[in-house]
Amino acid sequence: MKNIITYLFLPLLMLTGCKREDDFGSGSDLQPVPFTIAAKYDAKLDGKEAVNVNITLENTSTGDKIIGKTDINGELKFNAILPGTYTITADMTMSKEDYEDMFEIPTINPEVYFGGMQEKVIVNVNVSAAVITLSSGRIEDLVIKQVYYAGSSTTEAASFRDHFLEIYNNSNEMIYADGLYVGLLEGNTNSNVTSYTLSNGQYDWSKSTGNTIGGSANTDFVYASTIIRVPGSGKEHPILPGKSIVIAQTAINHKAPYDDIKGQSVSIKKPEETVDLSGADFETYLGDYFTANGGSPYLYDIQNIMVPDMEIVHWALNSKDMLLGVTSRPALIVFKATPGEISSFAKVPSPKNLNGALFVRIPKEIIIDGVDTTDKEQKAPKDLPVSIDATRAFIKNDAGSPYPDYSSYSIIRKTKEIIKGRVVLADTNNSQNDFTTIKANPRGNAQ
C-alpha cells in the first residue's frame, strides 16, 4: 500500500532517511533535503501568493504521497524530504464572495475552483524550491462526462472499435448540441526535452512554420489533429437538463456478431466485455470521407444509417477511425465556433515535423470543456493548460493502480449532487478530482 503523509498544522515535516533503489543508485542511502513549495495565482488574476491551498506531492517512483496546505505566505515548507522526482498538484475552492472581494471580478458561480500541476519536479540537494501557479477554470453547462478510450479485448471483444465519448448537460436548462465541435489535441508523446520542445517536453508551437505569434502560441492556443462537428441547423438536437449525447466511433451493438464492409462475419466471444452503441446519438463514420479523399475505408467502419454521422471538419489523426487513445493519450475538448471562425483558424505543422501534417490552432478562450487523459507513468506532457484542466485522469482501481489498455474501463465524472432527480456532475476543472473509473456504460453514472 502506498504511504500517504498528511501535513496540516506542524510547521516542519521531518522524513527520516531510508534505503531505496532508484535513480540515485541501487542500495544508496538517500539523505533528506529541505524543500519549499510556493503557490501563486496566475498573472491574469494578480500573481499574489495563494493561501490555504491543498498541495499533494507524489513520488513518481514509489507512489508515496505527502499532503499539506500553504501558510499565510503561500508556502508549504518541508525541513526534510527524500530526494527524487515528484508530481506536484494544487487545488482550492473559493466562495463567490471571497473571489469577488479578492480579485474584484464578478462571477455567477457560487464557488470558484483553482488548480495547478507540475510534473517531473526534481528534488535534490541542488533543487530546494518550486513554484506552482493556480488558475481558475470556467464552470460550463456542457461537460465531458465519460471517455471510453481503453477499448475491450482484442481477441474476444471489440478491441478499439467500441470507443465512445459522452457529453452531458450539467445545467437546468435545455441546450442544443447543433454545431458543437469535438477536438482531439496534438502533443508530444514523450517528455524528452529537445530543440523543438518546452522545458516540460511539450511541443514549443512557436517554432512551427507560420506560427508567428510568439510565446502566446503555447499559452493561448491548443492544436487539434482531429475536429468533428455535431450536425444540425441550430435546434435539431436538444439535450435536456441532466441528459447527454453519446458520440460513438461505430454505432453498432458491439456485443453481437456483425459483418465487416466486405461481408465477412466478425464474432464476439465475450459480449460482456464490450458495449452496445446502436443507440448512440451520433457516430464518426469515415468511409465516405476517405473514399472522397482518394483513400480506402477501414474494414470495420460500419455505418449505421439510423444514427446521424458527425461532420468531419479536419482529420490529421494517423488512423482511419476515431481513436480516443490506446497507445497515445490525446486530450479532448468541446467548443463552439462559427464555420467562418473555423475556416479562419491557422493550420500549422508540429515543430517536430515541419513538413508533416497540419494541426488546427484553436483559441483557448472558446473551449467549453476539456479533459487531459494519461497513463499512470505520465510519459507524455499535458496537452491542456491548467485553466482548462488542472490535472489528468486515467482508468484505475480503488488503490490507484492503472488498469491496462483493452480492459473495458472508462473514466466518468463523479456525481456531485442530485437536485429534484437531476444528477449534477462534479466540475472543478481538475480531472484527477472530478473523474472516477467504471466499466464502460453509455449514459451510466458513477456510483
Side-chain angles (χ1 to χ4, degrees):
M1 178 179 294
K2 298 183 180 70
N3 295 319
I4 300 179
I5 302 172
T6 304
Y7 169 83
L8 295 174
F9 306 108
L10 298 177
L12 296 175
L13 175 65
M14 175 66 75
L15 301 180
T16 59
C18 62
K19 184 177 289 186
R20 297 182 188 270
E21 295 185 3
D22 60 10
D23 294 339
F24 291 86
S26 176
S28 64
D29 289 318
L30 301 185
Q31 298 301 316
V33 296
F35 193 74
T36 299
I37 299 169
K40 297 180 180 294
Y41 297 109
D42 65 30
K44 291 186 177 180
L45 293 174
D46 61 8
K48 293 179 180 178
E49 295 79 11
V51 176
N52 208 33
V53 177
N54 300 309
I55 302 288
T56 300
L57 290 85
E58 181 175 359
N59 188 299
T60 58
S61 296
T62 66
D64 292 346
K65 293 181 180 179
I66 309 169
I67 299 172
K69 288 180 180 289
T70 57
D71 59 20
I72 59 173
N73 298 312
E75 295 181 334
L76 177 59
K77 293 184 176 181
F78 300 103
N79 187 49
I81 185 173
L82 291 177
T85 303
Y86 290 81
T87 295
I88 303 176
T89 56
D91 69 87
M92 67 174 297
T93 303
M94 189 178 290
S95 69
K96 170 184 171 71
E97 294 75 20
D98 288 346
Y99 179 85
E100 292 179 341
D101 287 345
M102 178 174 288
F103 302 113
E104 299 181 349
I105 300 173
T107 177
I108 62 172
N109 300 311
E111 293 180 319
V112 179
Y113 302 98
F114 293 85
M117 184 181 196
Q118 278 199 46
E119 298 174 326
K120 295 179 171 53
V121 177
I122 302 298
V123 176
N124 59 34
V125 68
N126 298 313
V127 182
S128 60
V131 177
I132 190 162
T133 302
L134 293 177
S135 297
S136 61
R138 295 181 299 176
I139 306 301
E140 297 288 350
D141 292 334
L142 288 178
V143 296
I144 295 171
K145 175 187 174 183
Q146 187 172 183
V147 184
Y148 179 41
Y149 66 80
S152 53
S153 171
T154 59
T155 57
E156 298 180 310
S159 187
F160 51 74
R161 300 185 296 273
D162 54 2
H163 286 186
F164 70 86
L165 171 69
E166 186 174 358
I167 300 171
Y168 188 81
N169 181 354
N170 213 26
S171 77
N172 60 0
E173 298 181 351
M174 185 171 67
I175 298 174
Y176 289 95
D178 305 50
L180 185 69
Y181 290 90
V182 176
L184 274 67
L185 300 190
E186 178 69 9
N188 199 3
T189 56
N190 63 68
S191 57
N192 298 333
V193 178
T194 70
S195 61
Y196 54 79
T197 72
L198 302 169
S199 59
N200 66 349
Q202 186 54 275
Y203 289 150
D204 182 352
W205 288 96
S206 68
K207 296 182 178 179
S208 299
T209 303
N211 213 12
T212 57
I213 53 177
S216 64
N218 298 307
T219 58
D220 297 347
F221 299 89
V222 295
Y223 299 82
S225 65
T226 297
I227 300 176
I228 54 178
R229 180 183 182 272
V230 175
S233 57
K235 292 188 176 181
E236 296 178 31
H237 304 293
I239 312 176
L240 297 174
K243 300 298 181 181
S244 62
I245 57 171
V246 173
I247 302 172
Q249 182 195 93
T250 304
I252 64 173
N253 182 4
H254 294 276
K255 294 176 174 288
Y258 65 97
D259 291 342
D260 62 28
I261 63 173
K262 293 183 177 181
Q264 299 298 311
S265 178
V266 178
S267 64
I268 302 295
K269 298 177 181 178
K270 290 187 176 179
E272 68 276 8
E273 292 192 4
T274 183
V275 292
D276 181 357
L277 292 175
S278 60
D281 298 277
F282 305 97
E283 70 174 352
T284 310
Y285 174 68
L286 288 153
D288 293 342
Y289 174 84
F290 280 108
T291 299
N293 287 277
S296 57
Y298 176 53
L299 182 62
Y300 303 105
D301 192 8
I302 310 301
Q303 185 178 30
N304 184 343
I305 62 172
M306 302 302 295
V307 176
D309 294 334
M310 295 288 287
E311 297 173 359
I312 310 302
V313 178
H314 183 80
W315 196 270
L317 192 66
N318 189 25
S319 74
K320 291 187 175 183
D321 218 340
M322 186 186 74
L323 301 184
L324 297 181
V326 178
T327 56
S328 64
R329 297 285 185 271
L332 284 160
I333 59 171
V334 293
F335 63 99
K336 278 273 181 110
T338 66
E341 288 171 331
I342 291 290
S343 297
S344 70
F345 292 161
K347 297 180 178 66
V348 299
S350 81
K352 182 179 181 179
N353 184 5
L354 298 178
N355 297 313
L358 299 180
F359 306 99
V360 181
R361 189 178 73 195
I362 299 172
K364 182 180 71 173
E365 63 188 16
I366 70 170
I367 297 174
I368 296 172
D369 193 27
V371 176
D372 252 317
T373 59
T374 184
D375 54 354
K376 173 61 176 174
E377 290 75 21
Q378 298 178 357
K379 296 175 183 177
K382 274 173 58 65
D383 294 327
L384 285 169
V386 295
S387 59
I388 304 297
D389 188 356
T391 57
R392 304 199 275 194
F394 60 94
I395 51 173
K396 58 186 176 181
N397 61 24
D398 292 341
S401 298
Y403 285 119
D405 295 332
Y406 306 107
S407 57
S408 307
Y409 286 98
S410 68
I411 58 170
I412 188 170
R413 281 190 189 270
K414 300 173 184 176
T415 297
K416 177 184 177 183
E417 57 186 335
I418 299 177
I419 302 176
K420 296 182 179 179
R422 176 174 63 88
V423 173
V424 179
L425 302 178
D427 182 20
T428 68
N429 294 288
N430 185 330
S431 289
Q432 191 175 88
N433 293 338
D434 291 345
F435 283 82
T436 187
T437 300
I438 66 166
K439 278 283 190 179
N441 182 15
R443 303 186 211 281
N445 287 303
Q447 299 301 315

